[in-house]
Amino acid sequence: MLKTRETRVEERKEEKRSEKRDRILRAAEAIFLDKGFHAASMNEIAEAADVSTPHLYNFYASKAALALAVQLKMGQETFDALKTAMSAGKKNPSCESIFDSRRSSLMLTILTECTRNPDIKEKITENGARLRAMISEAGGDQEGQYRILCVMAMYLGMSISNIFTLVENRELMTKILAQAESCILPFCGDKKVKAAQH
């Protein structure tokens, strides 16, 4: 079916908007990681993303909304890495993120904002629901879902502890985490997961 000129124009506009959103999220993540949530400014993020500050507010109504989008992006990346780790024989790419104490600090800052800001709490709850839906799709039966949740909790705990005590031997820790995953993830009940392991 041929696309009309108007359809092609709309698709191109959406592509540009999506590219700009990705650029904003990358810039925001870099600045949040470098300066922390509270010290970062929307002006700095706009400048780093090569957009005007008013235009940035067209995408995200507040710094908190932008931080939540970054938090969702990081959660998606961790989840994607865990799905990759389900494939037998592949080196787990998700370990590096838990060794970055700045990422962990940012996640904790966003989570603690929930105690002061009900809007952020609501959005964090929504992000959690999205994550649970992804886990449900990937994990298949209830046991598989709980196995994935167990691995994710292990990563969260390790990343938080890494804020205070840096892992000195990353290679060994990666090996240990991969062994822990190998005990948990292969038993997920979803056919797609089992197919990915062969």
Side-chain angles (χ1 to χ4, degrees), residues 10-197:
E10 283 305 312
E11 285 177 353
R12 185 63 191 134
K13 278 183 185 176
E14 185 50 43
E15 279 177 30
K16 285 184 176 182
R17 187 168 172 78
S18 180
E19 289 167 8
K20 199 173 288 186
R21 186 181 295 110
D22 289 344
R23 203 167 66 233
I24 289 168
L25 285 175
R26 284 194 306 272
E29 182 175 357
I31 290 172
F32 285 145
L33 291 178
D34 185 47
K35 295 188 145 195
F37 172 75
H38 293 290
S41 76
M42 292 293 269
N43 290 338
E44 286 177 291
I45 293 167
E47 186 177 330
D50 196 27
V51 298
S52 69
T53 303
H55 194 57
L56 175 58
Y57 280 102
N58 287 335
F59 284 86
Y60 299 100
S62 67
K63 186 168 70 167
L66 181 51
L68 286 163
V70 168
Q71 184 256 347
L72 183 61
K73 173 183 174 287
M74 291 193 302
Q76 178 73 56
E77 288 167 355
T78 300
F79 178 75
D80 290 343
L82 284 171
K83 284 206 312 189
T84 300
M86 292 178 197
S87 300
K90 286 192 178 179
K91 184 182 176 186
N92 175 15
S94 59
C95 289
E96 276 308 307
S97 67
I98 72 165
F99 298 136
D100 187 344
S101 58
R102 299 170 313 150
R103 283 174 66 102
S104 305
S105 295
L106 177 60
M107 293 291 265
L108 277 178
T109 301
I110 294 168
L111 291 172
T112 55
E113 286 297 308
C114 291
T115 62
R116 292 187 283 273
N117 188 327
D119 292 335
I120 292 179
K121 184 175 182 178
E122 181 182 337
K123 290 294 181 185
I124 288 283
T125 303
E126 288 173 14
N127 287 356
R130 285 191 193 110
L131 183 59
R132 282 191 301 280
M134 290 187 291
I135 289 170
S136 178
E137 184 180 327
D141 63 14
Q142 189 176 46
E143 183 176 345
Q145 293 170 35
Y146 280 124
R147 288 176 184 275
I148 294 173
L149 282 170
C150 182
V151 172
M152 293 189 75
M154 178 177 64
Y155 276 96
L156 180 61
M158 284 301 306
S159 64
I160 291 170
S161 74
N162 194 54
I163 295 172
F164 308 103
T165 308
L166 294 178
V167 172
E168 292 177 8
N169 190 336
R170 291 184 178 195
E171 189 176 314
L172 179 58
M173 182 57 76
T174 299
K175 179 182 172 187
I176 291 168
L177 288 172
Q179 288 170 351
E181 282 182 350
S182 70
C183 294
I184 296 170
L185 293 176
F187 298 99
C188 295
D190 189 83
K191 291 176 185 172
K192 286 181 273 185
V193 171
K194 292 193 175 186
Q197 293 172 337

Side-chain angles (χ1 to χ4, degrees), residues 3-14:
K3 294 179 181 177
T4 64
R5 182 178 183 279
E6 291 80 15
T7 302
R8 287 193 304 272
V9 167
E10 283 305 312
E11 285 177 353
R12 185 63 191 134
K13 278 183 185 176
E14 185 50 43

